[in-house]
Each structure stands twice: as structure tokens, then as C-alpha cells.
Amino acid sequence: MAIESTTTVKNEARAATTSGPPLPMGKWKKLWFDMKRNRMSYLLLAPFLLVFTMFTIIPIITSVMLSFSYYNIVEAPRFVGLSNYKLLFVDDDIFLKAIGITLKFAFVTGPLGYVLAFLLAWLISQIPQKYRFFYTLCFYTPSITSAVAMSVVWLYLFAGDRKGLFNHLLMQIGILNEPYLFLQNVESIVPVIIIVSLWSSMGIGFLAFLAGLQNVPKELYEAGKIDGVRYRWQELWYITLPSVKPQLLFGAVMQVVFSLQVFDVSMQLVGMPSPLYAGHTILAHLYDYAFIRFEMGYASAIAVILFLMMLGLNRLIFRVLGRE
């Protein structure tokens, strides 16, 4: 009897174990199971993932590895540890100045360009449909214009002689007695670059705002009028902004990337290097060491610092705008 009761207890325990909830799967095992179950989706994603890995992931990993080495293209990379980063933050005064100029530029053009792009997109969305394409084209065209073609116009406007348009107008109305060197004066170089960058900042974020605003359901505005919303600014604050939150997040990320990557405008307007390095940005410093001096290890360290700055600012944006 004792043997039979013991066997019964073991059988009941085994049955309870097999019929109970399944044991938790490991992370990699669960991933493999999901990939097998959704293999068609992963198969369709494979071309993009392959290209993304080859042209984004691998270059980033290679740049991080080269940042710990001395590499001049001719010789094989030689490991130097943290020497490149130490040189950047301890001995390279121009790099520290470039960080200050880039952050100053980013903190002005980032928020201002972001707000300006959204307001212009909102104003365009209020006009009749048949006129929207014309205004969208007018504001979007500067962002796809090459820096060389753009500099032809702005160099004429800011020319430092009497033939410069701004100098001519300011002297005509009596504000200036002699031409002002906009592109040679250290104090005016950064403001000029900011003005030109704002003019050309209506890019992908602007189009995303415009597309999001046009897809806000009209029923929300009708419901808002019933609930007491009377003015356009009330509609904007209580209905429009919550409805286009994904586009706001995307536009903020793109604006951060744009503001930290300023280089072509600075090089075309004030040269490379600029007078007393007054318009020298981080990307200009990277270009100097990568394609002029061919110190690829040092240039990779600069690229890693720029990448970390972008990553940190984007994480901050996701924390602020990504909350529900």
C-alpha cells in the first residue's frame, strides 16, 4: 500500500508539472522562436537590414575601433589607447573652441528652426489646397539647394564692399558710413552662418509637420467647437499638437542632427579655416584631420564625440517628447 501511494503521489506531481504554465524561455531562444514564426517578415526586412549593417553599423564600429589607434592611411593602424581623446580635451584648443561654436549654433538654430518649421507648416495647412504646393515648394527648395549654389547668393548679400547688397542698403539709409566686413569680422561670422542655416532649415522635418497636420481628423476640430474651443490658438494647443506628436518627435530629432552637422555653409561662406577659427565647427575639425591631414585615428575620435553628442541630445528629446 505504501509503494502504491508513493507511486500515485509521483504521478500526480509529474502531471501537475507537465500541465502547469510553461517555463519562461530564454531571451535568445524566444528571439529565435519569433524569427521562425515570423520568418516571412524577417525575410522581407533582410535587404534593408543587410544594407543598414554594411553602411551604418559596420562603419560605426570601425570608427570606434580606429579612434583608439594612430592611422594615416599609408601605415597599418597602431593602437594608442586613449591618447586621441586625451589630446582632444587637453591639448587641442581648436577642438574645444569648435565644441563651443557648434553648441552655440545648435542651441540657437535647433529650437528656433524647429518652431519656425512647425509654424510655417501650420500656416500652410490653413490655406486652400490648391495653393499649398506652391508655398511648400518655396520653403522646401532652399533645403535641397547645394551649398555652392547657395553661397553665390549669400556671398553677394554679405559682401564686404560697397557692392554688397546689405552694405549698400545700410549705407543708403545712413546706418553705416563705410562697408562692414560681415564674413571677415569675428563677431559677425556665427550670426551670418545662423541666418543662412535657418533659411535652409525647412527640410524633412518641415514636410513631416505638413503631412501630419493635413492628416488630423476634422472630427476632432468639430468636437472641440462643441466643447468650447473657439480660437485657432486653442485648436493648436488642445487638438493639433497632441495629434501630431509623432511628427513633432521626428522633426526634433532631424533638427538636432541638422544643427550639429553644420559644415558646408560655414566652409563656403567664410572658408576653411575661417578667420581666427570663428566659424570652425566640430564637423569642420573632423574634415580637417580626415581629408587634409589624413590622421584618420584622430578624426575617428572626433566622429565618436560628435556621435555621442547627437545620441545624448536625441535621448533627451525622446525623454521629453516621447512621453505619453
Side-chain angles (χ1 to χ4, degrees), residues 118 213 235-246 248:
F118 179 79
L213 290 169
E235 289 183 353
L236 176 65
W237 183 258
Y238 293 108
I239 300 175
T240 306
L241 288 178
S243 300
V244 296
K245 197 171 182 179
L248 293 176

Side-chain angles (χ1 to χ4, degrees), residues 159-162 164-182:
D161 53 20
R162 294 178 180 273
L165 183 59
F166 288 153
N167 273 321
H168 177 74
L169 293 176
L170 293 175
M171 292 174 66
Q172 285 289 329
I173 61 180
I175 296 179
L176 294 179
N177 295 323
E178 59 183 13
Y180 184 81
L181 302 177
F182 289 100

Side-chain angles (χ1 to χ4, degrees), residues 265-317:
V265 174
S266 174
M267 186 177 68
Q268 295 297 330
L269 291 179
V270 297
M272 176 70 186
S274 56
L276 297 178
Y277 293 97
H280 201 68
T281 61
I282 296 178
L283 203 58
H285 204 58
L286 190 154
Y287 181 88
D288 182 16
Y289 277 91
F291 302 108
I292 297 178
R293 309 188 192 196
F294 295 104
E295 296 185 15
M296 291 298 177
Y298 196 73
S300 297
I302 299 173
V304 170
I305 298 299
L306 183 60
F307 174 75
L308 293 177
M309 290 175 61
M310 289 184 181
L311 187 63
L313 289 175
N314 285 332
R315 293 305 303 170
L316 179 63
I317 290 173

Side-chain angles (χ1 to χ4, degrees), residues 105-152:
F105 178 86
F107 286 137
V108 174
T109 60
L112 190 58
Y114 180 72
V115 173
L116 187 62
F118 179 79
L119 288 179
L120 287 175
W122 180 64
L123 291 174
I124 291 176
S125 66
Q126 305 298 312
I127 63 178
Q129 181 71 35
K130 60 181 179 180
Y131 301 115
R132 290 179 187 175
F133 175 77
F134 172 75
Y135 287 102
T136 302
L137 182 64
C138 290
F139 286 111
Y140 180 67
T141 300
S143 67
I144 59 176
T145 305
S146 67
V148 177
M150 186 171 55
S151 64
V152 174

Side-chain angles (χ1 to χ4, degrees), residues 133-243:
F133 175 77
F134 172 75
Y135 287 102
T136 302
L137 182 64
C138 290
F139 286 111
Y140 180 67
T141 300
S143 67
I144 59 176
T145 305
S146 67
V148 177
M150 186 171 55
S151 64
V152 174
V153 178
W154 288 101
L155 285 174
Y156 166 66
L157 294 176
F158 288 107
D161 53 20
R162 294 178 180 273
K163 295 182 180 180
L165 183 59
F166 288 153
N167 273 321
H168 177 74
L169 293 176
L170 293 175
M171 292 174 66
Q172 285 289 329
I173 61 180
I175 296 179
L176 294 179
N177 295 323
E178 59 183 13
Y180 184 81
L181 302 177
F182 289 100
L183 302 178
Q184 289 78 31
N185 195 312
V186 175
E187 297 178 355
S188 60
I189 286 178
V190 173
V192 168
I193 297 175
I194 289 175
I195 291 172
V196 178
S197 298
L198 285 175
W199 175 76
S200 61
S201 63
M202 304 297 122
I204 299 177
F206 168 72
L207 295 181
F209 292 152
L210 192 60
L213 290 169
Q214 292 180 359
N215 290 324
V216 177
K218 303 299 182 183
E219 293 80 6
L220 294 179
Y221 295 108
E222 296 174 358
K225 291 180 180 179
I226 296 175
D227 292 336
V229 175
R230 298 181 180 180
Y231 305 105
R232 287 293 178 89
W233 291 107
Q234 290 178 323
E235 289 183 353
L236 176 65
W237 183 258
Y238 293 108
I239 300 175
T240 306
L241 288 178
S243 300

Side-chain angles (χ1 to χ4, degrees), residues 95-110:
F95 175 71
L96 297 178
K97 186 174 183 178
I99 287 181
I101 294 173
T102 303
L103 291 178
K104 182 192 300 183
F105 178 86
F107 286 137
V108 174
T109 60

